[in-house]
Amino acid sequence: VVREVSASNAWTPYFANAIKTTVILSAVAGKFGGASLVNIDSAPVYLQVFDTTGAVTLGTTVPNFVIPYPSNATAANGIADRWEMASGINIVNGIKCAATTTPSGASTSTNGLSGTILYR
């Protein structure tokens, strides 16, 4: 099956250079489409994704969904995960995310997650 890509349905890439604290991907409604991120921490890291235009307080604000990234094999090579959804996850308000040491906690990742996040 060939899927036609047009400007109206193409994903926007966000380069995440060691994402730790909360970052704003989009301040308006849209879709979360996927990610290609690497974790070089020696412990699992969780990408918390929030559907909000308001302030996010890690450990208090409940994420809409969480994507786990396993710990690396060694600090030199890390572990990566890549995925993309055809239709994406609907976001009603705005897209914010952060990398933390637990699925809904406040402690940010030591090295963060690096790579690309897709949204529109």
Side-chain angles (χ1 to χ4, degrees), residues 21-62:
T21 58
T22 306
V23 297
I24 301 169
L25 300 180
S26 175
V28 297
K31 293 184 180 253
F32 185 94
S36 178
L37 298 170
V38 65
N39 172 20
I40 64 169
D41 283 4
S42 59
V45 174
Y46 300 86
L47 183 70
Q48 295 185 40
V49 182
F50 305 91
D51 179 351
T52 184
T53 55
V56 169
T57 303
L58 294 176
T60 301
T61 305
V62 177

Side-chain angles (χ1 to χ4, degrees), residues 61-82:
T61 305
V62 177
N64 289 74
F65 59 96
V66 178
I67 304 163
Y69 288 86
S71 59
N72 65 12
T74 70
N77 61 17
I79 190 161
D81 188 20
R82 180 176 186 257

Side-chain angles (χ1 to χ4, degrees), residues 3 8-12 25-26 28-34 49 51 65 85-95 117-120:
R3 189 177 100 131
S8 64
N9 69 2
W11 295 115
T12 299
L25 300 180
S26 175
V28 297
K31 293 184 180 253
F32 185 94
V49 182
D51 179 351
F65 59 96
M85 295 175 283
S87 298
I89 297 172
N90 285 328
I91 301 294
V92 177
N93 300 294
I95 308 169
I117 299 173
L118 303 174
Y119 73 96
R120 65 172 168 240

